[in-house]
Amino acid sequence: MKATHRVTSTGEAACEIHPDVFVDESGRAFTTDEAVVDAGIAVVIRPAEEGEYVFAVDDDATELAVNWIGVLTDDPMAVERIEQRHTSQAASSARIRPDIDWALLSRRDERTVQFELRATHRAKATRKLACEIYPDVFVVERGAVFSRWAGMAAQQAGDIVDPLPDCIQDWFVVRGLEKAVDWVTTVARIRDERHARSAREHE
């Protein structure tokens, strides 16, 4: 994705994917919302004269970022998911634990954030550009989301997308990732369950 901000303490590039939710090039996913007491990371908008900068976001950062979106859109279960991730990844001090002021968070924020994603695939059904933001979860132009785990997609023969060659540099604009939250959360849970089952089978 293309950088929209810079972390003031480190100078690292960051992208705002939802109002007050950021991922940076070191793999942190965090919020700057005032309702989160521990949101101590400050960012500034990258000036145009700094030019375009692109960085990749790994699956773990995407998963955590959509959980932060869940927190800021009043999903109490998202707080629990972040706490669980913090417990299982205690060595990663960069991942902030949520301490939420729910009274502040009760306000509805109608802002949207526009950012650019590099296309990785093309949807077979519509031929629209798509970006695989998390394994088996795709965002297409205008922000629609679909997954290989969807009912019809899981039943049909063949894949639901065609991969683009690595040399292709097609980008498209997305207005927020709120629509992706449910699918990323669902697929993350499926992956965790499969991993746990596989670990038990090898004990």
Side-chain angles (χ1 to χ4, degrees):
M1 55 181 60
K2 292 183 181 179
T4 59
H5 290 70
R6 180 164 37 83
V7 178
T8 55
S9 60
T10 64
E12 292 178 328
C15 180
E16 186 175 24
I17 64 170
H18 183 81
D20 303 317
V21 177
F22 296 82
V23 289
D24 70 15
E25 59 184 324
S26 69
R28 290 184 299 183
F30 58 92
T31 181
T32 57
D33 193 284
E34 61 183 3
V36 181
V37 175
D38 291 335
I41 299 178
V43 296
V44 294
I45 295 175
R46 295 182 76 250
E49 56 267 25
E50 288 188 7
E52 187 177 282
Y53 183 77
V54 176
F55 63 97
V57 177
D58 64 21
D59 300 341
D60 186 65
T62 301
E63 190 175 327
L64 186 57
V66 297
N67 282 333
W68 276 118
I69 295 172
V71 169
L72 299 187
T73 52
D74 304 326
D75 177 7
M77 292 301 295
V79 177
E80 183 178 332
R81 291 193 294 268
I82 292 176
E83 288 286 5
Q84 289 173 347
R85 295 186 68 77
H86 180 84
T87 301
S88 64
Q89 300 173 349
S92 181
S93 59
R95 288 171 168 77
I96 303 172
R97 300 178 65 181
D99 186 1
I100 310 296
D101 185 335
W102 293 103
L104 279 177
L105 204 60
S106 64
R107 75 209 190 301
R108 275 295 179 186
D109 193 339
E110 299 300 328
R111 289 177 297 157
T112 58
V113 170
Q114 188 168 285
F115 63 101
E116 293 182 78
L117 290 173
R118 180 187 171 191
T120 58
H121 295 74
R122 191 177 290 278
K124 282 189 174 179
T126 64
R127 305 311 299 164
K128 287 184 176 180
L129 294 173
C131 177
E132 188 172 20
I133 61 164
Y134 190 75
D136 302 319
V137 179
F138 300 86
V139 175
V140 296
E141 297 167 88
R142 299 186 180 179
V145 181
F146 61 92
S147 172
R148 290 189 178 103
W149 289 95
M152 293 300 294
Q155 295 171 25
Q156 73 180 46
D159 204 348
I160 57 176
V161 292
D162 291 319
L164 294 177
D166 290 340
C167 60
I168 299 296
Q169 292 284 330
D170 285 336
W171 293 79
F172 60 94
V173 173
V174 172
R175 294 178 63 84
L177 281 183
E178 189 170 350
K179 294 178 182 177
V181 171
D182 288 342
W183 268 119
V184 172
T185 301
T186 298
V187 173
R189 187 177 299 116
I190 292 170
R191 285 161 57 90
D192 287 346
E193 289 172 356
R194 284 187 164 188
H195 179 74
R197 186 165 56 247
S198 176
R200 288 193 299 271
E201 290 173 354
H202 288 86
E203 285 179 352

